[in-house]
Amino acid sequence: MSAANATATTTATPRRPGRETELLRLPSWCGSAAASLTVCVGWAATTWIALHLRADTTLHTAALFVHLASLVLGFGAVLAIDYYGALWLTGRKTLREVLDFTAPLHLPVWAGLGGLLFSGAFLHPDLSSPLTCVKLGLVLVLSLNGVQASALHRRLAAVGSGPVSRSLLIRGAVTASVSQAAWWGAVAIGFLNSRH
């Protein structure tokens, strides 16, 4: 080892405790902010398309199929995630089992949401209807809640086998409640709108 390296090694200032944790949180926060911004831009773009584009009968039929398939894919995955979360909260599954089972389900949730947003733009939504506007708001809420749920999944995975704090438990319960309310609300409004 050279003298310069030896001096640098012995005179290096010690790091503050917790500094690594601060550095690890920043990319996670930035990633969540970027994902939230992407969700908002995608939502706004599909709303703009719905306002300015009229699909012909063939495209409308294809969009309806994609819309229903995306609903099955996305909402089905959400139901499985929330069900496993309930099993954990009631002590019937360990946190590790739940995290291992639900981690791969985030992809179908996002694929389903993306398919719903994109295909919905071609279904001639009546944006003058208050119910349709509520549905669009619910879709935005559940999308942003999905970003938050992904961040929560990472936080729970970082806990490992240790005890889960009360704040994380409350955050998990609120996340699942918002998810279920927004999904079921959007589905109910979609059903009511389809009857007119």
Side-chain angles (χ1 to χ4, degrees):
M1 180 187 303
S2 69
N5 285 343
T7 304
T9 302
T10 57
T11 61
T13 56
R15 291 185 180 183
R16 293 184 325 199
R19 178 81 174 137
E20 292 83 4
T21 305
E22 290 174 23
L23 292 174
L24 289 175
R25 281 190 196 145
L26 182 61
S28 175
W29 180 87
C30 289
S32 293
S36 297
L37 180 60
T38 302
V39 161
C40 291
V41 168
W43 180 87
T46 54
T47 303
W48 185 89
I49 291 170
L51 282 169
H52 294 90
L53 185 73
R54 300 301 288 176
D56 63 14
T57 305
T58 304
L59 183 55
H60 183 275
T61 303
L64 181 59
F65 176 80
V66 170
H67 203 70
L68 294 173
S70 297
L71 175 64
V72 170
L73 179 66
F75 195 23
V78 165
L79 287 172
I81 290 170
D82 289 348
Y83 176 69
Y84 257 69
L87 291 176
W88 169 58
L89 289 174
T90 57
R92 294 165 61 191
K93 293 283 182 187
T94 66
L95 178 59
R96 179 54 44 206
E97 288 173 324
V98 171
L99 293 174
D100 289 345
F101 175 81
T102 59
L105 294 177
H106 289 273
L107 180 60
V109 169
W110 286 111
L113 264 175
L116 283 168
L117 271 175
F118 182 73
S119 61
F122 299 98
L123 295 178
H124 311 299
D126 180 10
L127 297 180
S128 64
S129 163
L131 268 182
T132 301
C133 292
V134 169
K135 180 183 177 185
L136 287 173
L138 288 173
V139 169
L140 181 60
V141 165
L142 68 89
S143 300
L144 292 172
N145 189 59
V147 172
Q148 191 278 136
S150 295
L152 175 61
H153 189 274
R154 289 190 297 273
R155 288 285 302 275
L156 289 171
V159 169
S161 59
V164 178
S165 69
R166 182 181 173 93
S167 64
L168 278 181
L169 287 173
I170 292 170
R171 185 174 163 188
V174 170
T175 299
S177 300
V178 169
S179 171
Q180 289 298 312
W183 274 101
W184 283 110
V187 167
I189 293 171
F191 172 72
L192 292 173
N193 282 346
S194 71
R195 302 183 66 190
H196 300 303

